[in-house]
Amino acid sequence: VTPVFDVGSYAPYRELGRPFIDQCYKQPLPDYGMEVYVPAVTGGAEVASQTEGNTVAEKVVTAGYLSGGLITVAGEAIVSQQLLDRCGPNFAFDKMIFDQIERDYAPKIDIKTLEKALEKATTQEWSGNSGAFVLIEKEKAGGFLGQISKAKAAMRTASGTILDPTHLFLTQSRWDYITAFADVNGRPLISSDKQGPFNAVAAGRPDGKEGIEGETGWELSGLPVFQDGSIPNQGTTTQDQAIVGDLQEVWVYEGPAVTKVIPQTLAEKLQVICQRYSYWTAIVRYEKAITVINGTAMKAPSYTN
């Protein structure tokens, strides 16, 4: 029987995406320069009651600049001219190459943005219950939900900042672990309308489908929950981290992808370079815009039979 090859599509090498950077505040990349500067007020003014004939309150407003250096993010693959010319009908091999380069670019730029956001983030150490992860505590403002609320309260009351958190980011493993929690009667604490919730601690998507990464459709402590497999562990440990943040204050400058097919460089070997590059930088306008929840309570999830 003559074989049939479905070359119109292919099974790509799949990688993680870019859920964190896609939730940040996107700014247009300037047309020139390798450094981006944003003016920032570092000390506020002063207002006080003034009685007739007395001096009005006065305070010098101080300011400076926040800056981010542009980096070039690039990748390429070398292929033969014969492959491009003779790979078969209905299949553009160069498109497949650029698709795979773009698939590797997505998690790499996501990681760079996470690293920038976490560079000076507020760290909230949490030991849990004797080192164990606890979602909620009876008649207490404790557990993981308490840690989220604690981070939110700190962000909303910090002098000179006063931010409103917008996102909660977790690894997929941590979120799946949280969704497995049940109360003393065996009822799930995070359940969709499909399951008929009784005492759910999370409001969310009625069909209960969280997806692989990005928005889960659920909320914990009033924050929409997002999954991102690129969130780094705490240092060299196996302890993962949760991120509470106002992502409108993480400004991302990302240039468009530039793709090139360059035959000249390796012409003596009839080889072609398929190349892709772009420019990127990020500026966190307020250090307190990001809070990281980590510690011994965030050790690798453990499931019981």
Side-chain angles (χ1 to χ4, degrees):
V1 177
T2 303
V4 176
F5 295 94
D6 184 8
V7 296
S9 58
Y10 76 105
Y13 184 86
R14 299 189 66 186
E15 300 189 51
L16 292 170
R18 40 179 291 163
F20 186 82
I21 185 176
D22 284 342
Q23 293 301 311
C24 295
Y25 188 60
K26 302 296 180 58
Q27 292 280 24
L29 185 72
D31 294 333
Y32 58 90
M34 293 299 290
E35 194 89 15
V36 177
Y37 294 91
V38 174
V41 177
T42 56
E46 181 178 359
V47 173
S49 298
Q50 186 264 347
T51 57
E52 185 177 356
N54 290 324
T55 304
V56 174
E58 180 183 357
K59 184 180 180 181
V60 176
V61 176
T62 58
Y65 288 95
L66 302 172
S67 64
L70 259 64
I71 65 168
T72 308
V73 187
E76 67 182 24
I78 298 175
V79 299
S80 70
Q81 187 66 56
Q82 290 89 339
L83 183 58
L84 294 180
D85 291 343
R86 308 291 297 175
C87 69
N90 304 320
F91 188 75
F93 196 84
D94 58 328
K95 290 185 179 179
M96 184 270 283
I97 291 293
F98 283 122
D99 176 59
Q100 289 297 157
I101 292 176
E102 195 67 31
R103 287 176 184 272
D104 192 61
Y105 168 81
K108 299 297 175 56
I109 204 67
D110 196 57
I111 290 171
K112 287 187 178 298
T113 307
L114 278 163
E115 290 174 345
K116 186 65 176 180
L118 299 179
E119 197 173 80
K120 297 180 180 179
T122 300
T123 300
Q124 193 167 292
E125 289 279 347
W126 179 45
S127 59
N129 187 351
S130 299
F133 183 93
V134 178
L135 184 58
I136 57 175
E137 288 192 84
K138 183 179 179 181
E139 298 179 347
K140 294 180 181 179
F144 185 62
L145 285 184
Q147 292 298 311
I148 299 173
S149 295
K150 179 181 177 181
K152 289 166 55 182
M155 293 173 62
R156 288 170 170 167
T157 57
S159 179
T161 301
I162 311 298
L163 297 172
D164 192 22
T166 58
H167 292 72
L168 170 64
F169 268 87
L170 307 170
T171 65
Q172 289 92 333
S173 297
R174 182 59 58 185
W175 174 242
D176 284 333
Y177 185 56
I178 289 173
T179 60
F181 270 77
D183 66 10
V184 293
N185 297 310
R187 296 176 299 193
L189 293 177
I190 297 178
S191 56
S192 66
D193 290 343
K194 199 172 183 179
Q195 296 169 288
F198 294 96
N199 56 342
V201 299
R205 195 186 304 275
D207 60 12
K209 295 179 180 179
E210 298 95 350
I212 297 173
E213 60 183 359
E215 187 177 9
T216 65
W218 300 88
E219 289 186 1
L220 278 179
S221 189
L223 292 181
V225 180
F226 286 73
Q227 300 177 97
D228 193 326
S230 295
I231 297 174
N233 285 346
Q234 183 181 3
T236 58
T237 72
T238 59
Q239 299 164 7
D240 59 282
Q241 305 183 93
I243 299 174
V244 176
D246 181 354
L247 267 61
Q248 290 297 300
E249 300 303 338
V250 182
W251 287 18
V252 171
Y253 300 81
E254 183 182 14
V258 178
T259 57
K260 295 182 177 181
V261 177
I262 309 170
Q264 297 89 347
T265 307
L266 301 174
E268 75 278 6
K269 296 181 180 180
L270 266 183
Q271 290 180 323
V272 176
I273 298 176
C274 296
Q275 191 177 80
R276 181 244 190 255
Y277 74 90
S278 61
Y279 297 105
W280 167 93
T281 192
I283 296 176
V284 181
R285 293 209 308 169
Y286 300 98
E287 293 178 7
K288 294 186 182 296
I290 301 292
T291 296
V292 179
I293 301 172
N294 55 27
T296 54
M298 302 292 286
K299 61 188 176 184
S302 176
Y303 294 86
T304 58
N305 294 326

